[in-house]
Amino acid sequence: QVQLVESGGGSVQAGGSLRLSCAAFGYTYSIDCMVWFRQAPGKGREGVAAITTGDGSTKAADSVKGRFTISRDKAKNVLYLKIHNLESEDVALYYCAKSLHSDYDFGGGFSALDAWGQGTLVTVSS
């Protein structure tokens, strides 16, 4: 089993930057792909970025491409999400999740994810 704990959320001014962290504990050797999701007030959960732990390849959803960067520190078992140029649309609860596979399809739903963190809240002030 893998346990995930997010941190780094907070209130940031519009246009600012923020880095979220997700620490993984437990059977971390089983992690092939990690995904960041967010859920804005009144909206569904959406995948925003994913990273394959084997080769470090990354991808971002079209809605955040160019502003969101996913990375990881393999030695520390920590996943990061750097958000640049924060917008009001970025206000959400951000979650990290572990994929059962070596990749994740943003449109593929949630059945391929078997571990979730508790979320960290990001708000944006004008």
Side-chain angles (χ1 to χ4, degrees), residues 17-108:
S17 298
L18 194 65
R19 189 180 77 165
L20 307 180
S21 300
C22 168
F25 304 92
Y27 292 106
T28 57
Y29 65 85
S30 67
I31 297 175
D32 292 320
C33 176
M34 293 290 293
V35 189
W36 280 102
F37 288 83
R38 68 180 180 183
Q39 187 163 16
K43 295 189 177 179
R45 197 170 294 192
E46 64 165 338
V48 293
I51 186 167
T52 298
T53 55
D55 61 7
S57 58
T58 64
K59 62 182 179 183
D62 289 342
S63 59
V64 302
K65 204 168 285 185
R67 294 195 304 115
F68 284 32
T69 304
I70 188 172
S71 62
R72 92 274 193 229
D73 185 325
K74 208 171 179 180
K76 294 181 180 178
N77 289 316
V78 178
L79 180 74
Y80 301 103
L81 183 70
K82 186 69 180 286
I83 307 174
H84 302 272
N85 194 20
L86 273 149
E87 304 171 350
S88 57
E89 289 76 18
D90 297 324
V91 172
L93 198 56
Y94 285 75
Y95 300 88
C96 59
K98 170 185 165 296
S99 174
L100 285 165
H101 310 298
S102 60
D103 195 3
Y104 179 74
D105 178 1
F106 289 131

